Amino acid sequence: MSDTKRVRTRFAPSPTGYMHIGNLRTALYTYLIAKKNNGDFILRIEDTDRERYVDGAVDVIYDTLKMTGLKWDEGPDIGGPVGPYIQSERMGMFKDYALQLVESGHAYYCFCDKERLDELKKIQEASHIAPMYDRHCRNLSKEEVQEKLDAGIPYVIRQKMPLEGTTTFHDEVYGDITVDNSTLDDQILIKTDGMPTYNFANVVDDHTMGITHVVRGNEYLSSTPKYNLLYEAFGWDIPKYIHCSPVMKDQTTKLSKRNGDASFEDLLKKGYLKEAVVNFIALLGWAPKGEQEIFTLDELVQEFDISGISKAPAIFDPVKLKAINAEYIRRMTPEKFLEVITPYIRQSVKRDDIDIKVLASVLQPRTELFTDVPEQVDFIDKLPEYDTAMYCHKKMKTNKETSLEALKAVLPVLENLDEWNVETIHKALFDLVAELGVKNGWLLWPVRTAVSGKQFTPGGAVELCAVLGKEDSLARIKKGIELLSV
């Protein structure tokens, strides 16, 4: 294949429901290869498996790709020069291509019925032989074939594999792979109903659409020699293959929706930003050359290189995803963050005297997931009942006695503040720390505990007091004094 040929890649999903992470990664790598080389990214819908077809799933594919910014140049909805782009609408041409192979001696009619094939399989299994067609019809004479065709006997068309020697193909990730031809089954190309098998339709579609790079899972490595033999039989250019290792839940378990693992839609519902998910998925099995790990889609286009794809399976690390999501949240403008976070705050906070802007500024540097926020701020409307043991903090060197002392010292200082905001509260409390000659935590931990009633809060004592307002903050500190005095 000439290296000067325009790069054309395709994402060819089956409309079976949700978009799982491995599928989206294939789409992303396919898009990046095309755009890196100023080529075309094509969307083809492979809808011929009617048993697995799910109504509305094509819209899920469209919506997911649009949401993630993976804009296709040709596809079912926008057309293009090599349509149709829905496989079920391309059915008419496959048999003609298969008949070309019969004519050239690279394929043959097989008239074996299901009973014979089932019996053959049983014998092979009992003999511990790998199931493979025994080529019973491979050497029928032209006259015998014509006789059976004239009699209307159902048939399939099978690929005629070479019986000796080897077939070698090159993969951009795995290098050169060689297989013995004797291990290759004479696979079916056209079924008895005249429809093509997946393996045959893929090759014909990729050629007729001018696809130069094929990105897919490494489970297709074993089928690739058969694909190459088809390309060679037709005299067609062989595309570049990029086989990717699976995305794993852990070292032994594949990521799977059936096992309750998240799809792209699920991750969005859990509060992840779509840009963060795309960034994370790019790093599942691909390593950039430098230290940078946070990339916009445009930056990924510039940075992506096939040589960075790993042979090793990628582990889906939710901790890393959360960290990437947190970084994207930190990079939002305060205005954008306020807009996005307000509905989450309002799930718990119904008070209208709260300064949401101040609360958002407190939350932004500390938020990893938007969906965590309602629980983090649920103390604002009403102070929860809490155990005074929370005042005891080893690191802060506080206990109930020191906490009572601290709160009693804080109360009059805060009561005397005329202005109530982050700056004035901060100055008042830190001036008091200096005056008492104590560590910051000795004073601030009891205040934070008193105003929140929680061990973990989205901000420190100063910010929480500013958010709650003077009246409520003082009332909660008095409540803390009361509880600690018992």
Side-chain angles (χ1 to χ4, degrees), residues 210-229:
I211 302 304
T212 60
H213 294 65
V214 173
V215 183
R216 59 181 169 226
N218 69 354
E219 66 269 24
Y220 290 102
L221 275 171
S222 60
S223 300
T224 304
K226 300 174 188 178
Y227 299 152
N228 268 25
L229 288 166

Side-chain angles (χ1 to χ4, degrees), residues 94-113:
F94 295 108
K95 187 156 183 192
D96 288 341
Y97 279 107
L99 292 175
Q100 277 184 43
L101 293 178
V102 173
E103 284 296 312
S104 65
H106 293 97
Y108 61 94
Y109 292 98
C110 170
F111 299 94
C112 294
D113 58 23

Side-chain angles (χ1 to χ4, degrees), residues 437-458:
V438 293
K439 297 277 187 187
N440 295 349
W442 185 93
L443 189 84
L444 298 177
W445 179 258
V447 176
R448 186 164 95 164
T449 304
V451 298
S452 71
K454 293 180 77 136
Q455 197 151 9
F456 302 103
T457 59

Side-chain angles (χ1 to χ4, degrees), residues 334-404:
E335 294 76 22
K336 181 65 179 171
F337 181 77
L338 177 63
E339 178 192 326
V340 176
I341 204 69
T342 298
Y344 292 97
I345 293 172
R346 283 301 182 198
Q347 285 180 33
S348 294
V349 180
K350 309 300 181 187
R351 288 170 58 171
D352 55 14
D353 63 332
I354 292 296
D355 191 333
I356 295 277
K357 201 171 179 182
V358 173
L359 181 54
S361 70
V362 172
L363 285 165
Q364 186 166 4
R366 299 170 174 88
T367 299
E368 289 185 321
L369 266 183
F370 293 126
T371 44
D372 290 344
V373 166
E375 192 181 342
Q376 290 173 352
V377 298
D378 61 4
F379 66 90
I380 290 175
D381 275 17
K382 187 184 177 189
L383 181 68
E385 288 186 21
Y386 64 92
D387 191 329
T388 53
M390 280 190 355
Y391 284 100
C392 306
H393 196 298
K394 199 172 179 183
K395 189 179 172 189
M396 304 295 181
K397 296 186 169 55
T398 62
N399 55 41
K400 291 179 186 180
E401 290 74 26
T402 62
S403 295
L404 179 59

Side-chain angles (χ1 to χ4, degrees), residues 97-206:
Y97 279 107
L99 292 175
Q100 277 184 43
L101 293 178
V102 173
E103 284 296 312
S104 65
H106 293 97
Y108 61 94
Y109 292 98
C110 170
F111 299 94
C112 294
D113 58 23
K114 187 174 183 299
E115 281 179 9
R116 183 183 184 277
L117 295 175
D118 287 346
E119 188 62 30
L120 174 66
K121 191 176 178 184
K122 277 183 196 169
I123 293 167
Q124 288 173 332
E125 284 174 352
S127 309
H128 303 292
I129 298 169
M132 186 184 278
Y133 178 58
D134 64 355
R135 304 186 166 102
H136 177 72
C137 294
R138 180 168 166 138
N139 296 314
L140 292 175
S141 67
K142 278 191 174 182
E143 292 76 22
E144 287 173 300
V145 169
Q146 194 58 51
E147 189 181 311
K148 290 179 185 294
L149 290 175
D150 291 342
I153 298 173
Y155 64 85
V156 298
I157 297 178
R158 289 184 181 271
Q159 185 176 357
K160 190 182 279 189
M161 297 296 176
L163 302 178
E164 297 172 345
T166 60
T167 294
T168 299
F169 69 92
H170 180 75
D171 179 79
E172 299 298 311
V173 178
Y174 289 85
D176 287 338
I177 295 176
T178 300
V179 298
D180 288 324
N181 290 333
S182 60
T183 65
L184 301 177
D185 196 3
D186 283 7
Q187 67 175 350
I188 295 172
L189 305 179
I190 299 292
K191 297 178 281 189
T192 51
D193 61 2
M195 293 294 108
T197 56
Y198 171 83
N199 285 333
F200 186 52
N202 246 299
V203 169
V204 174
D205 281 342
D206 284 346

Side-chain angles (χ1 to χ4, degrees), residues 1-25:
M1 187 177 76
S2 168
D3 287 336
T4 58
K5 202 171 185 180
R6 183 175 178 82
V7 169
R8 286 172 64 80
T9 67
R10 52 80 170 166
F11 177 51
S14 298
T16 55
Y18 62 93
M19 178 80 78
H20 64 71
I21 298 304
N23 235 4
L24 186 53
R25 183 186 64 171

Side-chain angles (χ1 to χ4, degrees), residues 167-357:
T167 294
T168 299
F169 69 92
H170 180 75
D171 179 79
E172 299 298 311
V173 178
Y174 289 85
D176 287 338
I177 295 176
T178 300
V179 298
D180 288 324
N181 290 333
S182 60
T183 65
L184 301 177
D185 196 3
D186 283 7
Q187 67 175 350
I188 295 172
L189 305 179
I190 299 292
K191 297 178 281 189
T192 51
D193 61 2
M195 293 294 108
T197 56
Y198 171 83
N199 285 333
F200 186 52
N202 246 299
V203 169
V204 174
D205 281 342
D206 284 346
H207 169 73
T208 53
M209 290 185 165
I211 302 304
T212 60
H213 294 65
V214 173
V215 183
R216 59 181 169 226
N218 69 354
E219 66 269 24
Y220 290 102
L221 275 171
S222 60
S223 300
T224 304
K226 300 174 188 178
Y227 299 152
N228 268 25
L229 288 166
L230 285 172
Y231 280 107
E232 287 170 3
F234 282 117
W236 294 343
D237 287 341
I238 294 171
K240 289 192 176 186
Y241 297 118
I242 300 100
H243 287 89
C244 301
S245 292
V247 181
M248 307 289 283
K249 186 173 187 171
D250 50 44
Q251 295 294 342
T252 56
T253 317
K254 265 190 180 185
L255 209 62
S256 162
K257 180 77 171 177
R258 280 190 292 266
N259 296 337
D261 297 319
S263 67
F264 175 71
E265 291 172 71
D266 294 332
L267 292 176
L268 296 190
K269 284 174 190 165
K270 286 181 179 181
Y272 290 99
L273 290 163
K274 59 180 184 289
E275 298 86 357
V277 176
V278 170
N279 192 152
F280 172 73
I281 287 173
L283 301 173
L284 285 174
W286 170 74
K289 287 190 170 70
E291 297 298 311
Q292 184 182 342
E293 284 202 320
I294 305 298
F295 298 96
T296 64
L297 188 58
D298 287 342
E299 287 171 336
L300 280 172
V301 168
Q302 297 307 313
E303 189 72 22
F304 191 78
D305 195 288
I306 294 169
S307 64
I309 298 174
S310 171
K311 293 179 196 173
I315 306 294
F316 186 98
D317 181 358
V319 175
K320 183 165 186 178
L321 173 56
K322 241 181 195 184
I324 289 174
N325 201 62
E327 182 58 36
Y328 271 82
I329 288 171
R330 284 193 288 273
R331 292 182 181 205
M332 287 174 125
T333 64
E335 294 76 22
K336 181 65 179 171
F337 181 77
L338 177 63
E339 178 192 326
V340 176
I341 204 69
T342 298
Y344 292 97
I345 293 172
R346 283 301 182 198
Q347 285 180 33
S348 294
V349 180
K350 309 300 181 187
R351 288 170 58 171
D352 55 14
D353 63 332
I354 292 296
D355 191 333
I356 295 277
K357 201 171 179 182

